[in-house]
Amino acid sequence: MNRPYTICYLNVSAEAHIDGDFGKLPEAAAASDVFRQRWLDMNADAIIYGATTMAMFANGKLTDLPKVQTIYPHEDYIAPCEEKRYYIAIDPMGSIAYDGNIIPSIKGRGVHGVIHALCESVSDDYLAYLREKRISYIFCGKKEFLPDVMMEKAYTLFGVKKAILSGGAYADWTMLSHGLIDEIQAMYLPVVDGDPHSHTLFRRMDGMESAPVALELKNVEIIAGDGLLVTYCPKNVKPN
């Protein structure tokens, strides 16, 4: 299949938590700075986020949508956009609020357009909302989200050749379990928080069958400030 080369890239605590206050400690600063710079150095065409994570970079979650008169066909919609790099939101049923069809520069990443990945069972009201905001969207399955379809459309419709996947844990697992991650790069910071509610790198949804994925260790690098960058290649990866 034609799809982007995808790197799962995350800054984590020493116990592999991906969220929490641990990154605010001064001991996390030096390795975090390296993490951010290497993110920029990857020069990826797209950043992929799950719905909860993407909402933090957009305008939160929608609480209400007006009923619409115009019903749009459930077909892919490519909106005019001057930006050639994108945030891709995995949000099958439509829940994210947006100010417009771009995400302003965050952490030096530059301005990005938006591609919203949906299922065909999404409401007509949300489609109308995305159209009003002139946000591109692609359909990736009827009722079940198909990440393979999302990746192939990102490549063929938007020219995405390289992508960074960076949470949340459910999105990371969805991509990993379908063989769509080429590398996992985890920057371990020299801090722990013991939070029993924090997600780790990967998390499957309740009810999903256990299907462990074997990894091949590619590199371990000691980073300034006692950080550790560990790179794995999943053994289930599909050719691209």
Side-chain angles (χ1 to χ4, degrees):
M1 65 179 290
N2 290 323
R3 63 169 183 84
Y5 187 89
T6 302
I7 302 165
C8 185
Y9 188 56
L10 287 140
N11 216 14
V12 300
S13 69
E15 71 258 64
H17 289 174
I18 64 174
D19 48 34
D21 292 333
F22 58 84
K24 297 178 181 178
L25 291 178
E27 290 81 0
S32 293
D33 287 344
V34 174
F35 174 84
R36 285 190 288 269
Q37 184 56 53
R38 294 198 180 184
W39 180 302
L40 300 179
D41 292 343
M42 288 183 195
N43 197 29
D45 303 306
I47 301 164
I48 303 172
Y49 284 135
T52 299
T53 306
M54 184 65 187
M56 294 189 294
F57 291 89
N59 196 28
K61 293 292 189 79
L62 282 171
T63 56
D64 193 23
L65 271 176
K67 294 296 180 182
V68 295
Q69 300 296 324
T70 304
I71 305 299
Y72 293 101
H74 284 212
E75 300 172 351
D76 298 333
Y77 170 65
I78 303 176
C81 182
E82 295 182 359
E83 307 304 326
K84 300 304 178 186
R85 294 191 297 169
Y86 301 94
Y87 281 85
I88 301 176
I90 301 175
D91 183 31
M93 298 309 298
S95 65
I96 300 171
Y98 294 99
D99 288 324
N101 67 347
I102 62 168
I103 302 296
S105 182
I106 298 168
K107 301 179 181 179
R109 298 175 189 172
V111 179
H112 286 59
V114 177
I115 304 168
H116 202 102
L118 299 162
C119 282
E120 293 180 30
S121 50
V122 68
S123 72
D124 293 317
D125 299 334
Y126 194 73
L127 285 190
Y129 174 80
L130 293 178
R131 288 266 189 160
E132 178 188 346
K133 298 290 185 181
R134 303 187 72 176
I135 292 173
S136 297
Y137 54 80
I138 52 177
F139 288 101
C140 309
K142 294 186 180 295
K143 294 183 178 180
E144 178 184 357
F145 181 75
L146 303 176
D148 308 65
V149 174
M150 177 186 73
M151 297 302 276
E152 188 157 13
K153 287 185 176 183
Y155 185 98
T156 58
L157 298 180
F158 298 91
V160 176
K161 302 298 192 298
K162 181 192 286 187
I164 293 173
L165 169 68
S166 197
Y170 294 113
D172 295 343
W173 177 255
T174 296
M175 296 285 285
L176 178 65
S177 64
H178 284 79
L180 298 171
I181 295 177
D182 296 278
E183 295 180 35
I184 300 167
Q185 294 188 25
M187 178 73 80
Y188 289 89
L189 306 177
V191 292
V192 294
D193 64 5
D195 185 348
H197 305 295
S198 178
H199 288 171
T200 51
L201 280 161
F202 300 98
R203 188 181 183 96
R204 66 178 186 266
M205 300 291 282
D206 289 341
M208 290 182 67
E209 182 181 355
S210 175
V213 176
L215 309 175
E216 179 182 359
L217 181 64
K218 284 296 185 179
N219 192 50
V220 178
E221 181 182 357
I222 297 174
I223 301 298
D226 295 326
L228 191 68
L229 180 62
V230 180
T231 302
Y232 284 104
C233 289
K235 291 188 175 182
N236 69 338
V237 64
K238 295 177 179 178
N240 57 356

